[in-house]
Amino acid sequence: MPEFVLPEVIDDFLFTYQNLVYSLGIHGLLALSMYVVLAVGQLSLGQAAFMGLGAYASALLTLKLGWSLPAALAGAMLIPAAAALIIGSPTLRLSGVYLALATIGLGEVQRLAFVNSDFTGGALGLSGIPTKAGLVSIYGSLLVALVLLVLVARSKIGRAMEAMREDELAAGALGINLPAYKLGALVASAMLAGLAGGLNAHVSSFISPNDYGFDAAVTILSFALLGGLGSPFAPILGAVILTLLPEVLRSLANYRGLVSGSIIVIAVMFMPRGLLIWRMGRIGVSSRRPS
Amino acid sequence: MSAARLSLTHLTIRFGGLAAVDDVSLSVAPGTVHGLIGPNGAGKTTVFNLVSGLLAPSSGTIMLDGKEIEALPSWSRAGLGLARTFQNIRMFAQMTALETVMTGMHLRMKAGPVASILRMGRFRTEESAARDRAYEILDLVGLSQSAQLRSGDLPYGDQRRLEIARALALEPRLLLLDEPAAGMNPSETQQLEDLLGRLKQQGYTILLVEHDMHFVMRLCDEITVLNFGRKIAEGRPEAVRSNPQVIEAYLGTRVAKSLAGGS
């Protein structure tokens, strides 16, 4: 990573809040990964599992094979993508909750596999992962992902995705290939979650199987539920709020679960479209009629 | 007579013991408006769902331009030129009317993810052309003033016409309209009739389910009547109107007999 000279104030701030700043970026990526699936009207509870696959893949590639960070992160995206293809192909042909069920299953299978394999360090996990990721790689990845998603949303792909979410039958009747779009979205979301996992492994230096369980999956889902789906910015806002909240409410530490749970319930009941209801246009050019 | 645009042969679908559509055959000639009528529960919408691919038939064939389509999913049928509207309006409520119509052009647009991300010239040209065409279609159905409004906020009658606009964006070879006048007030119904008249003039082929009899009689070239899933009559509107079996199906046996006796 190139060295940047930062003003002292920022430097101090980063030193104190380094973990929080990293978490914000990584949670932003996870929120985007959740958004991509929800944007086509599907529910996945496997984002934490995809993240775990990415974390383990990149950690093992660096630890055992000595790969560089960019190469390890590429691995962190491709392996979850392969897992998404394998569970998505059969389940996405069906409509309903099959994907949600299959992805819960993926999370459990993966956790048990990591716990029981010596290769992945068993229940103790992997430690001594070189901390090669940092501000630039995390926020660079987040920015690139955000820009790509904004551009794709403002095209026929974005229109097709929103149409599927609003009314799958009508979207299919317009010629939108539903299984292909659902699978594409799941694979893209697995890559984003895997990338977040890879970055996480390379800033925290230690990962364990229990970091990527059902709790984490629900937290990632709540980022998007709180933020909304009107644009890719909305789930990031949700992630920022739900990441900062435990810090702000540190005095309520004992009631943290209660407070954040209540916030989610209130958000879902009274703001079904999330906090950021602004909806991004879906046309790639000006929507005005040329005179 | 030229080859049929749509032909159904011995089409049947059973739900458990009930044959909702029972051995129905019909054919729609290109450039005509074909009405599908019958009392509630006669199986009209089920025929539409079979033709558009939301249901799979128990037996029988569906041919579009001579090609068997009954095994294809709905999106592939759309690719062959089949478009439909729904009895209960199915809007993309958050989208603007303009975006809704552009969504109907999905299959006509070729730019993939890479071209969309790189905002290549090809992508911009295609998006502009689609937008301009969408405005023309909105003109045709009389909604261009509402182009920037949320589809879900439009008045009921406008939503029905927007659904037709969305289907027209497909440049369909066959347009299936499921009760387009349902719930409309008389002036909205009149607007709709004018619109369908214009579509007919432009050469669109339409299969129409509708309850408003005057509407159907004025608009259709040919009518098929269903009752309890079976075809009970077909022919030109004036012939169907005076068919005793049709009167019986709509009004009951006693009224039909008294009408027959009285005339």
Side-chain angles (χ1 to χ4, degrees):
Chain A
M1 267 316 117
E3 285 293 321
F4 286 93
V5 183
L6 293 167
E8 206 174 328
V9 182
I10 299 182
D11 210 22
D12 285 350
F13 176 83
L14 280 182
F15 183 77
T16 317
Y17 290 105
Q18 195 183 42
N19 282 334
L20 182 61
V21 172
Y22 290 163
S23 294
L24 280 172
I26 289 167
H27 289 176
L29 274 172
L30 290 170
L32 287 181
S33 90
M34 193 72 243
Y35 163 84
V36 174
V37 184
L38 293 173
V40 295
Q42 292 296 301
L43 176 58
S44 156
L45 289 165
Q47 299 318 105
F50 293 136
M51 182 192 184
L53 277 177
Y56 270 87
S58 67
L60 290 169
L61 288 171
T62 344
L63 287 172
K64 312 248 170 185
L65 299 175
W67 284 23
S68 68
L69 181 66
L73 290 179
M77 295 170 78
L78 291 177
I79 288 174
L85 271 177
I86 293 167
I87 61 163
S89 305
T91 47
L92 288 173
R93 302 204 154 269
L94 310 164
S95 53
V97 296
Y98 297 98
L99 180 65
L101 293 175
T103 47
I104 293 176
L106 174 74
E108 278 308 291
V109 168
Q110 176 204 252
R111 193 178 62 82
L112 290 172
F114 286 156
V115 167
N116 290 302
S117 158
D118 290 337
F119 185 66
T120 60
L124 293 175
L126 294 169
S127 52
I129 306 163
T131 50
K132 290 196 266 186
L135 271 187
V136 176
S137 49
I138 291 173
Y139 283 89
S141 303
L142 179 62
L143 186 67
V144 170
L146 182 62
V147 168
L148 292 185
L149 290 178
V150 167
L151 289 173
V152 168
R154 301 178 69 94
S155 76
K156 78 165 213 178
I157 301 169
R159 293 191 287 274
M161 290 171 76
E162 185 169 9
M164 289 169 69
R165 180 169 87 236
E166 293 272 346
D167 195 313
E168 197 172 299
L169 279 187
L174 293 177
I176 295 164
N177 188 327
L178 305 176
Y181 267 82
K182 289 177 192 170
L183 190 59
L186 187 69
V187 169
S189 90
M191 292 173 86
L192 284 172
L195 177 62
L199 289 165
N200 187 44
H202 284 88
V203 293
S204 66
S205 88
F206 164 73
I207 55 176
S208 80
N210 294 321
D211 298 346
Y212 311 105
F214 189 69
D215 285 358
V218 172
T219 304
I220 297 170
L221 176 63
S222 64
F223 294 159
L225 287 183
L226 180 65
L229 296 173
S231 72
F233 301 101
I236 294 182
L237 176 69
V240 169
I241 292 173
L242 288 176
T243 308
L244 289 180
L245 205 62
E247 304 301 322
V248 178
L249 300 179
R250 193 149 273 190
S251 53
L252 296 173
N254 293 339
Y255 305 98
R256 209 167 82 179
L258 182 69
V259 171
S260 36
S262 312
I263 288 176
I264 294 170
V265 170
I266 290 167
V268 170
M269 284 180 69
F270 297 105
M271 296 175 291
R273 295 183 49 213
L275 278 175
L276 191 61
I277 54 171
W278 170 71
R279 174 185 167 277
M280 197 172 64
R282 303 285 174 199
I283 303 176
V285 292
S286 159
S287 63
R288 287 219 194 81
R289 182 170 214 167
S291 43
Chain B
M1 192 168 148
S2 55
R5 177 60 45 86
L6 174 75
S7 79
L8 311 180
T9 320
H10 304 301
L11 195 63
T12 301
I13 183 168
R14 287 189 197 85
F15 298 114
L18 174 78
V21 174
D22 191 0
D23 197 30
V24 169
S25 299
L26 68 83
S27 89
V28 180
T32 62
V33 177
H34 194 116
L36 190 59
I37 66 170
N40 283 328
K44 308 176 296 281
T45 295
T46 309
V47 169
F48 266 33
N49 288 342
L50 286 164
V51 172
S52 60
L54 302 186
L55 293 171
S58 309
S59 62
T61 59
I62 305 167
M63 305 230 278
L64 185 68
D65 290 313
K67 189 177 186 309
E68 277 195 33
I69 60 168
E70 69 271 1
L72 300 176
S74 59
W75 48 93
S76 305
R77 297 186 198 196
L80 294 173
L82 195 76
R84 72 168 292 178
T85 65
F86 295 88
Q87 187 179 344
N88 308 309
I89 304 178
R90 290 180 171 272
M91 280 282 109
F92 306 137
Q94 305 296 330
M95 284 194 193
T96 65
L98 184 69
E99 289 166 343
T100 301
V101 176
M102 286 177 74
T103 306
M105 297 173 188
H106 183 78
L107 289 169
R108 305 266 156 201
M109 305 187 69
K110 301 294 169 222
V114 176
S116 307
I117 287 166
L118 297 180
R119 287 309 199 245
M120 294 188 213
R122 203 156 44 90
F123 168 80
R124 297 190 150 274
T125 316
E126 193 182 61
E127 287 280 300
S128 314
R131 174 200 58 203
D132 297 350
R133 175 75 189 124
Y135 270 111
E136 285 171 26
I137 295 172
L138 287 171
D139 278 338
L140 178 68
V141 302
L143 284 176
S144 45
Q145 294 305 314
S146 309
Q148 306 283 3
L149 300 182
R150 250 172 42 106
S151 305
D153 290 344
L154 296 178
Y156 182 82
D158 288 1
Q159 290 196 8
R160 284 230 173 260
R161 281 184 295 152
L162 181 58
E163 248 201 345
I164 296 175
R166 184 176 71 186
L168 289 174
L170 235 95
E171 297 173 32
R173 295 182 60 76
L174 175 68
L175 182 57
L176 306 175
L177 300 178
D178 198 350
E179 296 197 27
M184 283 189 169
N185 64 37
S187 88
E188 287 173 330
T189 307
Q190 186 56 51
Q191 272 185 324
L192 179 74
E193 196 179 327
D194 294 345
L195 168 63
L196 297 190
R198 283 200 296 279
L199 294 182
K200 187 174 166 180
Q201 261 176 7
Q202 293 184 11
Y204 280 100
T205 309
I206 299 174
L207 180 60
L208 172 77
V209 164
E210 187 47 66
H211 273 299
D212 186 329
M213 276 309 130
H214 298 290
F215 189 91
V216 172
M217 294 292 167
R218 279 197 297 268
L219 207 62
C220 292
D221 302 296
E222 195 80 15
I223 290 176
T224 299
V225 189
L226 298 183
N227 194 23
F228 296 116
R230 299 191 69 92
K231 182 168 82 178
I232 58 168
E234 70 184 335
R236 304 196 57 78
E238 52 276 21
V240 164
R241 188 175 9 206
S242 51
N243 183 313
Q245 270 190 292
V246 176
I247 297 169
E248 189 181 314
Y250 270 92
L251 302 175
T253 321
R254 220 177 51 185
V255 181
K257 272 184 185 151
S258 72
L259 276 179
S263 62

